[in-house]
Amino acid sequence: MAMSLPVFVVVLVLTAMLGAAQVTPASWRQPNITKPLAERVRLAGAALDTAIDRLGIDGYFITDDATGTAGDLYAQMALFDMATNQSKYETALGQYFKIVLQSGVNFSNSGLTHPFISDSLAFGNAAAYAYVAYDKNPIFLQYAVDSWWWGREHTLSTQDISAGKFPGMNFTLVKVCQNATMAGGTFQNNDPKNSLVEGYASGYFLVLSALLAEATSDPVYLQAATESSTFIQTQLTNVQKIVQADITADAKSSPCSVISDTDPTQSGLMLEGLAILSSFTKNASTQNLLNELLLAVIPNTGWQGENGIVSTDSGGGDMNLLRGLGAVYSRNTTTPELQRYVGDYIAVQFNAVVDFATSNGTDIYGDSWTGPPSANFSGLNQTDALGALISALYLQNDCTSTLSPSAPSPTILASLVPTPLSHHGRSKIGVIVGGTIGGVVALGIIAAAFWLWLRQRRERPPPVVPSALLYEPFPGATPSPFIPSTSTPITSTPSSPSAPGAPSPLFRLGIKPEEPQNPPRSPQMRSIAVSAGDGNGVRFDGPDIEQTGAVIRTSDLPTERLVRLLNERLQGRAWDEEDTPPGYPVTDSTRSST
Ligand SMILES: *[C@@H]1O[C@H](CO)[C@@H](O)[C@H](O)[C@H]1NC(C)=O
Ligand SMILES: *[C@@H]1O[C@H](CO)[C@@H](O)[C@H](O)[C@H]1NC(C)=O
Ligand SMILES: *[C@@H]1O[C@H](CO)[C@@H](O)[C@H](O)[C@H]1NC(C)=O
Ligand SMILES: *[C@@H]1O[C@H](CO)[C@@H](O)[C@H](O)[C@H]1NC(C)=O
Ligand SMILES: *[C@@H]1O[C@H](CO)[C@@H](O)[C@H](O)[C@H]1NC(C)=O
Ligand SMILES: *[C@@H]1O[C@H](CO)[C@@H](O)[C@H](O)[C@H]1NC(C)=O
Ligand SMILES: *[C@@H]1O[C@H](CO)[C@@H](O)[C@H](O)[C@H]1NC(C)=O
Ligand SMILES: *[C@@H]1O[C@H](CO)[C@@H](O)[C@H](O)[C@H]1NC(C)=O
Ligand SMILES: *[C@@H]1O[C@H](CO)[C@@H](O)[C@H](O)[C@H]1NC(C)=O
Ligand SMILES: *[C@@H]1O[C@H](CO)[C@@H](O)[C@H](O)[C@H]1NC(C)=O
């Protein structure tokens, strides 16, 4: 018995290491930042200005990107200023918001038949960040609140659920899916026939509500944020804890069917919302949820290879994932070990974007973060890359972070003991995955026991670094040899086991056979979004152009000139390294919580 104990424990510890290897970035490419901050600021500023220069007189990109992409860019302008403690883009943003409001009250973009709710909310997110960035300038709060109302009008409330119907929607609402309420879910668009409640819209609404809750302390926003995050967690999260695309809310036609596609955007929005919430509520269960999501999302092999560089199904990077991770990192709202892990991952993306997605000196960033770069500008692809460039502004230059791989220590794992958060009615696989996590925790504890046992035997003091704990029994074995062959336990999404009556393949792909004259959005942005109804949330130069174009009246021309002037001035004021004020951004990471 005593003889077999070491062997037994070695096997267990080995298993624990394999478990930990899921999140060990030893194979990641360059998880450290070597570019000085001033250079990173210059790169991000130049990439921003390049994008701003491509905005049209209506405030949207001239290139045929989804309208929301401009909103995402506006958010990055504010986030850039937050990270660098400037108000470089305050005036421009004020102008752009005003212009976009002309194409629809509360950023609703009413020039389109059925605009995507998430596209509208992207502007609200931007306005809320601008409010924080620019010293609580009240005009930005007003814009954010207006946008919130538009989102609220398309989000299921508990009253809607009990009434069984939603204003403007022509179907009966399902009351419960997966033994949990559908309240908190936001519809994809306002098409009366479209019953899809989706991860994009719910995620953008979550972030907006969380930012407003933080900025105003109004409990209405906190409640909305909690409902959104609960909805995403209970209805859209798969067994691997990755956020999926949509769920149908029609009680009579495939109720509760989950479209199980995943991309980093949906999980990134959830990360961002949870980071904001947990940083000001200090709610332990929100914190746990965030930690769990980080440990699921960062190693997810569905959208990256062993080098750790994000590469989605369409081959590109992802802005929302990096914005979410940037929120986690800048708010310092997770454990120190996970904080370092997130920082290393952001660094991988930053280095990849700079090395592979752009040609030196062009400041144009292509779709693929693994290269090759494209000389052609795309608002979407540029905005994606900006996600990495801007979140990396919070990182410290360091030469030490790669020396010890950022495997979460048993302490982290122990902090992730499954909480009784509503994992209702999950399938057997859920139990297995839950069991696996629990198992890893248990193994961590066993590893700790083994370490104590070793310490007794060796009669020498152990290393004090907690993350060295797991590796101590194998002084010669660095973690890296274990990674490549074992980093597959989290695989890309299986179809949802809990979806009864799965949608047809066409439905899943988001391709509606009829009405081919309405092109879907660029595949990267919405491979699954245009799924029902007219699918008309697309900005295109088709038959609707008069409608969309009509918002620019001749009386707006002075504004156009103003914007062009602003653009020129912004171009002329590209960041100069010598202008760098002493001691700015990095330490100021809690600024946004004022
Ligand atoms: C726009 O926002 C205001 C609140 O700021 C709200 O009263 C109004 O109902 C909203 N309109 C729509 C169409 O969302
Ligand atoms: C609602 O759906 C029913 C049955 O599909 C249809 O007869 C009715 O015209 C629809 N109403 C609207 C306003 O679309
Ligand atoms: C923490 O968040 C959870 C779910 O998000 C909520 O149910 C709970 O009431 C919150 N706790 C506190 C103390 O606010
Ligand atoms: C982040 O939080 C930890 C405590 O969790 C603290 O020790 C550390 O100094 C913080 N880092 C920054 C940059 O504020
Ligand atoms: C880009 O420029 C940097 C120095 O500014 C240089 O080290 C790097 O090799 C260049 N890359 C390419 C692809 O030319
Ligand atoms: C770039 O633009 C040129 C000219 O419009 C076009 O021929 C080429 O295919 C484009 N390349 C990419 C990668 O889109
Ligand atoms: C931008 O990304 C999309 C989607 O991945 C890709 O199809 C397109 O070619 C890219 N555009 C340019 C100009 O590189
Ligand atoms: C950064 O990481 C790369 C690869 O992991 C390594 O070659 C390089 O020495 C590291 N640089 C520093 C300063 O740590
Ligand atoms: C459904 O939820 C209720 C409480 O919310 C719980 O009592 C019940 O056991 C759950 N049913 C299933 C099948 O999970
Ligand atoms: C940020 O800027 C404000 C003035 O706009 C200044 O008071 C503050 O000290 C700056 N903070 C840092 C960290 O540079």
Side-chain angles (χ1 to χ4, degrees):
M1 175 70 183
M3 293 295 286
S4 65
L5 178 69
V7 175
F8 173 68
V9 172
V10 162
V11 169
L12 283 182
V13 169
L14 203 78
T15 318
M17 289 174 67
L18 298 184
Q22 287 176 12
V23 291
T24 301
S27 64
W28 287 355
R29 176 185 179 271
Q30 289 189 14
N32 50 14
I33 286 284
T34 53
K35 283 209 188 317
L37 179 61
E39 171 69 359
R40 278 178 274 146
V41 171
R42 191 192 64 75
L43 284 168
L48 264 182
D49 290 340
T50 301
I52 293 166
D53 201 34
R54 301 314 204 275
L55 290 172
I57 58 170
D58 55 0
Y60 301 115
F61 276 110
I62 296 167
T63 44
D64 60 346
D65 297 290
T67 55
T69 309
D72 290 334
L73 178 71
Y74 295 1
Q76 287 167 321
M77 292 158 75
L79 284 165
F80 173 85
D81 275 347
M82 275 165 75
T84 57
N85 199 16
Q86 306 176 81
S87 15
K88 188 176 167 187
Y89 296 117
E90 180 175 7
T91 314
L93 275 174
Q95 287 298 331
Y96 280 127
F97 282 128
K98 248 189 236 164
I99 294 170
V100 171
L101 279 170
Q102 291 171 4
S103 56
V105 65
N106 301 354
F107 304 108
S108 61
N109 203 348
S110 52
L112 300 173
T113 315
H114 297 303
F116 286 109
I117 307 303
S118 60
D119 280 351
S120 300
L121 292 173
F123 293 94
N125 280 214
Y129 275 124
Y131 178 64
V132 177
Y134 304 124
D135 215 11
K136 305 208 166 208
N137 180 339
I139 188 66
F140 295 122
L141 179 61
Q142 186 58 52
Y143 293 153
V145 168
D146 291 349
S147 175
W148 187 85
W149 278 101
W150 180 249
R152 189 76 200 84
E153 269 178 34
H154 296 93
T155 299
L156 291 162
S157 67
T158 45
Q159 289 86 346
D160 300 325
I161 299 293
S162 26
K165 55 179 194 256
F166 193 82
M169 289 301 191
N170 191 16
F171 51 83
T172 309
L173 283 180
V174 67
K175 288 192 193 303
V176 165
C177 291
Q178 324 203 49
N179 202 25
T181 178
M182 289 283 279
T186 304
F187 281 105
Q188 185 177 61
N189 63 21
N190 60 358
D191 180 343
K193 300 185 293 291
N194 182 1
S195 72
L196 288 181
V197 179
E198 66 164 12
Y200 286 113
S202 306
Y204 272 103
F205 192 57
L206 162 64
V207 171
L208 178 54
S209 300
L211 286 170
L212 285 173
E214 181 181 42
T216 68
S217 304
D218 187 333
V220 166
Y221 300 124
L222 181 57
Q223 192 196 334
T226 305
E227 282 184 12
S228 296
S229 66
T230 304
F231 166 81
I232 293 171
Q233 192 221 340
T234 55
Q235 305 295 358
L236 292 180
T237 306
N238 69 13
V239 292
Q240 296 153 338
K241 302 196 191 302
I242 303 291
V243 182
Q244 301 167 105
D246 315 75
I247 183 168
T248 53
D250 187 337
K252 298 203 172 107
S253 161
S254 322
C256 305
S257 296
V258 174
I259 299 181
S260 61
D261 301 63
T262 57
D263 71 19
T265 303
Q266 293 130 356
S267 294
L269 287 164
M270 181 70 159
L271 284 174
E272 188 177 2
L274 292 177
I276 297 162
L277 280 178
S278 75
S279 71
F280 77 91
T281 64
K282 313 283 181 209
N283 182 321
S285 66
T286 308
Q287 184 66 65
N288 271 354
L289 209 54
L290 175 62
N291 291 348
E292 280 183 2
L293 188 59
L294 284 169
L295 281 174
V297 164
I298 294 182
N300 186 296
T301 53
W303 52 65
Q304 66 199 340
E306 282 178 4
N307 59 13
I309 301 172
V310 175
S311 175
T312 60
D313 288 346
S314 61
D318 189 87
M319 181 276 298
N320 292 96
L321 175 60
L322 270 293
R323 207 172 92 178
L325 293 169
V328 172
Y329 193 88
S330 63
R331 286 164 182 269
N332 192 17
T333 182
T334 185
T335 62
E337 290 87 351
L338 274 177
Q339 174 81 354
R340 196 157 49 102
Y341 182 52
V342 169
D344 286 355
Y345 190 68
I346 293 173
V348 169
Q349 313 312 323
F350 171 83
N351 290 325
V353 160
V354 169
D355 291 345
F356 300 136
T358 187
S359 304
N360 267 352
T362 64
D363 295 317
I364 290 176
Y365 291 80
D367 167 47
S368 172
W369 293 1
T370 52
S374 165
N376 298 352
F377 178 87
S378 142
L380 176 63
N381 302 349
Q382 185 87 1
T383 306
D384 275 341
L386 274 164
L389 295 175
I390 289 174
S391 58
L393 294 175
Y394 288 102
L395 302 181
Q396 312 263 6
N397 277 66
D398 72 330
C399 308
T400 53
S401 74
T402 48
L403 295 181
S404 55
S406 313
S409 69
T411 330
I412 308 181
L413 294 170
S415 75
L416 295 174
V417 173
T419 52
L421 288 172
S422 37
H423 298 287
H424 319 278
R426 289 298 190 190
S427 65
K428 273 183 284 184
I429 308 174
V431 176
I432 292 165
V433 168
T436 307
I437 290 176
V440 169
V441 173
L443 287 169
I445 294 166
I446 291 168
F450 179 53
W451 165 76
L452 286 171
W453 176 78
L454 266 190
R455 184 169 77 156
Q456 258 186 335
R457 277 182 55 106
R458 293 185 183 181
E459 296 168 318
R460 66 174 172 84
V464 285
V465 189
S467 58
L469 205 70
L470 283 174
Y471 305 114
E472 164 62 12
F474 302 95
T478 59
S480 40
F482 290 94
I483 287 83
S485 54
T486 59
S487 56
T488 48
I490 293 184
T491 56
S492 59
T493 62
S495 52
S496 167
S498 50
S504 75
L506 268 182
F507 188 66
R508 261 168 199 283
L509 287 170
I511 297 165
K512 198 182 184 244
E514 312 97 81
E515 300 169 298
Q517 77 273 18
N518 293 340
R521 297 180 181 192
S522 90
Q524 178 185 6
M525 182 67 177
R526 289 301 152 112
S527 53
I528 37 76
V530 188
S531 31
D534 297 332
N536 215 356
V538 188
R539 220 175 135 246
F540 64 99
D541 299 335
D544 271 8
I545 189 69
E546 300 87 9
Q547 245 183 313
T548 314
V551 297
I552 305 295
R553 300 179 304 268
T554 41
S555 60
D556 297 323
L557 284 177
T559 317
E560 175 199 354
R561 273 202 293 277
L562 181 57
V563 170
R564 300 233 154 192
L565 258 169
L566 269 166
N567 272 338
E568 279 156 24
R569 277 181 34 208
L570 290 168
Q571 289 293 301
R573 288 194 321 188
W575 186 270
D576 186 323
E577 230 177 296
E578 281 154 29
D579 285 343
T580 310
Y584 71 129
V586 182
T587 51
D588 195 18
S589 61
T590 52
R591 181 168 178 259
S592 54
S593 55
T594 33

